[in-house]
Amino acid sequence: MFRHALRAALLAGGLFAGLTPALAETSRLALVIGQSAYRSVTPLPNPANDAKVMAQMLGEAGFEVTTAADLSQRDLNREVGDFAAKIAAKGPDTVALVFYAGHGLQIDGENYLVPVDVDPRREADIPLQAVRLNDLLNTLNSVPSRMRILLLDACRNNPFPAISQNVGRGLALVDTKTGAPGTFLSYSTSPGAEAEDGTGANSPYTTALLQAAREPGLPIEQAFKRVRVAVNKVTEGRQTPWDSSSLTEDFRFVVSADAGAANAGPRPVVAKRSVDEWKRNLEGKPIEAANEIIVGDGSVEAYEAFVALYTAPPYGPQAREWLDLHNRMAAWNEAVLINTVASYQGFLDRYPNSDLTPTARKLIERLRNRPVVTPVVAAANAAIPATPPVVPAVAAAGPTCPCSQTPPPGRKSETQKRVEEKPARKRDEDPPRRASRTPRRDPDDVVVYAPPPPPREYYGPPVRVAPPVSIGIGIGGGYGGGYGRAPQSYPTRRGYGY
């Protein structure tokens, strides 16, 4: 009995130990991609290393990890599709995470992940050869899941000389709050900025993320606050990670031993501070401490309060540069969403000499030269009158048949006169028969005369009886009319009118 009890205890202990990292989720899935061996440009040394250590950390945190490296466009699309299929198979309680390390570009306000086989000669080649970030997001959103986490160490410099002078730097801003809830997106640096590959074995972003994610019980928003501060410090303000969240529940990479800190229940709603509240909170603090606070928070209101209170270098100019860049990228995102000549011209009026100026001018020309469909359609149908034709008075009055005209008051119509003049037929009389029979030909061209039907009593108005294959011919006028009858007892099945 003791042996059985010991075995049960060991099994239970092993089971709970395996569930500790992911206590609240039924499953955790991760896709880790490292793009190093670019063929047409200088390879990147660190993405392969970053992917390896991230896969190890996520495996320790309870994720079922799929790793992929140096993918072509076709392979990258296939990996994303297969990953979505795994999420669907696991069920709607799955936490799905994608980590991507490699090159990323923005073209015309769209973000693209760059496969290793691209070789662009012009801007138009990137949408054809790369993978759009929104397509990846839409693929993950197409299957039910508990939350989707995208970590992109993809804001490195543009390595393609043929297009490097005509496209914007870094990645364009993406606001997850406008999409499906339950999404967390992190860039290795701010939108519109470039991230560093790093001089060590891993990039600054991945190094900071590994350290923050391994701390037990740390919510994901708090973890990325630490990532922002750590990367900002190690790069001396040149690089500050950025994230956008629409999560409705808490998430922790590693759950603490305290069961109450598990990933369960909705996230507490934190009220957003105004600029004045931030000023009161920062006032009197040393500039180093205040800078660390606003970098960790990452909100526009915190930066606006900081630049209003502190101007000393290096933190004052760095905060001002971050704020100007963020405002410019937010304005660019709005112009792209509106996508009109006026929206792009408004952006150029505010930022006439930015790295996005060539793109804005190009999009303006594209919209101005876009063919207008409506005038072409109108010209093609110019022969059709715009107003309905005038109907003559006679035609508008309706048909001129006397039987259909309404007589003046006190006068009878022609139909009423014919009905009254026609002699009434007795109910016990048979209807009149035709005097002659018309010869009809059968398929063998033999003349056949069908005998007339036998007389029968006539009751009431004539009734039309016609089998599906019979032909009825009726002649009559007024209320008498005509009817066709094809007695079923005769072999010829012919119909005659009386």
Side-chain angles (χ1 to χ4, degrees), residues 35-47 70 102-103 114-116 118-119 156-161 197:
Q35 302 282 78
S36 286
Y38 285 93
R39 302 171 189 173
S40 61
V41 294
T42 303
L44 292 173
N46 275 346
D70 301 331
H103 279 301
V114 183
V116 297
V118 299
D119 188 13
R156 293 170 170 86
N157 66 308
N158 185 345
F160 305 103
D197 196 47

Side-chain angles (χ1 to χ4, degrees), residues 2 54 72 110 152 168 191 209 265 308 323 344 371 405 423 442 444 460 464 485:
F2 174 79
M54 281 297 301
S72 65
E110 286 275 7
L152 302 178
L209 177 56
L323 185 61
Y344 294 121
Q405 294 179 349
D442 63 6
D444 298 327
R464 299 181 184 274
R485 181 175 62 185

Side-chain angles (χ1 to χ4, degrees), residues 15-61:
L15 177 63
F16 285 114
L19 290 179
T20 300
L23 187 60
E25 297 91 13
T26 54
S27 60
R28 290 180 166 194
L29 293 178
L31 174 62
V32 178
I33 300 170
Q35 302 282 78
S36 286
Y38 285 93
R39 302 171 189 173
S40 61
V41 294
T42 303
L44 292 173
N46 275 346
N49 300 330
D50 297 339
K52 182 178 179 180
V53 294
M54 281 297 301
Q56 181 181 352
M57 185 275 293
L58 292 172
E60 295 170 355

